Each structure stands twice: as C-alpha cells, then as structure tokens.
Amino acid sequence: SVGCIGLMPDELTPRVLIPLQSPNARFRMPKGIALRIHPGEQLWLNPHLKNPGSETITPDIRFNLYAAKPGTVKHTAEGMIIGNTLDINVPAGGEQTLTAEWTAPIDVNFVLLTTHQHQLGTYANIELVSEDGASTEIIYENFRWEHPRNFWPKEPLRLEKGRKMRITCQWKNPGD
C-alpha cells in the first residue's frame, strides 16, 4: 500500500500515533474520542527530527498518554498516513507536482488533518472529491513545509466508504 494510497494502522510499520510536526504543538482528542492501545502493542512515536545546523541540539519530545475515565469514550481514533508516495524526484533547478488519491475503505471520521513535506516543499493541499467524481473542494492548504498547520474541523469530517480524498504536493529545487 505504499505509493499514493497510504498506510493503514499496523500495515507495514508499528501503529502511527497522531503526529504533530510544529514546535510546541499539543494534541488533545476531541471530547468522547480516544485511542485504544492494546497490551503489548508496539507504537511508532516518530518525531521526524533533523538537525540542519552544525551545533549539537537536545530535542525535548514528549508523548503523554492518559487513561480515559470509564464511560467517557464514544468513539476510538486511529492515526493514518494517506497520500504517501515514492516518486519524489525534483531535478536541480526544477519543480515537481505530485497528486495522490485515497479512497476510504470504510466510513471514516477525520478529527485532524495536516500535510508533511521536506525542505524543498512549497505547497500542499487536501481536496475532497465529490461523490460523482466530477468536482473537488479544497479543505486544506499549506505553504510551509517546515511547520504545517493542523486542520481541526469543527465537527469530524466524514468520508463514507468509497469517497475519495486527493492530496497534492509541490516542490521546487533552487539548487544545482
């Protein structure tokens, strides 16, 4: 499933837990939603950190888990990576645009969306494809590869089974 369709929980890697990529970012599940973590389950706490400088840094990465109070969980959540691609090849002095499309395999509610690029990234968006496939609606745009903003819909964003989401990323390589 790698390459333009995404990774579902426990497919190729340990489970991804809702990644945040901006400094001092905090994540709290919406009321009534929780992650279910099974005994002995392996988790992927991926800070995705790179030191671009020559000075040694000491990162401060924390991941705190809190038990939900009995009776408060109405829905469980999963972390997913959607729109992954292996075809990134930005030539010297050139640009590239790639679009990935993902089809919901089941009814899905999204509580958080964000994009992820690396240093040459200049733009990314997430679109919902209409049920008939004739049109799209941009629901998220990002112009910052380094610290993408998080999109928290006021209400969970529902994609019914078979509905498509399209992710487009652009890169520019000013180097030689």
Side-chain angles (χ1 to χ4, degrees), residues 111-122:
V111 296
L112 166 66
L113 292 169
T114 191
T115 55
H116 174 82
Q117 294 181 291
H118 291 254
Q119 191 169 7
L120 300 178
T122 58

Side-chain angles (χ1 to χ4, degrees), residues 55-71:
E55 298 292 320
T56 300
I57 63 171
T58 303
D60 181 7
I61 301 164
R62 301 172 194 199
F63 203 94
N64 300 310
L65 301 174
Y66 301 95
K69 294 178 183 169

